[in-house]
Amino acid sequence: MEVTFSLPDDLYQQVERRARESRRGVTDLLSETLRMSLSCDCGVRDALPEVSELCDKDLLDVAGSRLAPAPDERLSMLLEGQERGTLSLSERYELEGLLKVYCEGLLRKALAVQEAARRGLSQPPAP
């Protein structure tokens, strides 16, 4: 399907530069960026009740959680490759999957921090 829309000049220049650096067309880059952005819905509806039902100990564990070292290192490597424009198609899909996992984990952690503060288990983060 074809969709036509306008971009501000400065944004288009950024997209065009990224496309050139990654040796891809502007249309391909925009399509991939939109697909990756939309695929990271982060399961908001699923995460809310689950976090609120955790016992205090498990809630604090989630609030303090981090991405495991191996996936974190791989994510960093793939992001660097994306910046250089050297990712293969399979690496782009791998990056998309890792970003989704990271996004979901970050949301779950944020919800756990909020719930822990609501229960008085910890102080809410400063604004």
Side-chain angles (χ1 to χ4, degrees), residues 36-62:
M36 288 177 68
S37 174
L38 295 173
S39 72
C40 190
D41 65 5
C42 297
V44 174
R45 290 188 190 108
D46 296 337
L48 286 169
E50 184 180 332
V51 168
S52 65
E53 295 170 6
L54 293 174
C55 69
D56 290 353
K57 181 196 174 310
D58 291 343
L59 181 67
L60 291 173
D61 286 346
V62 171

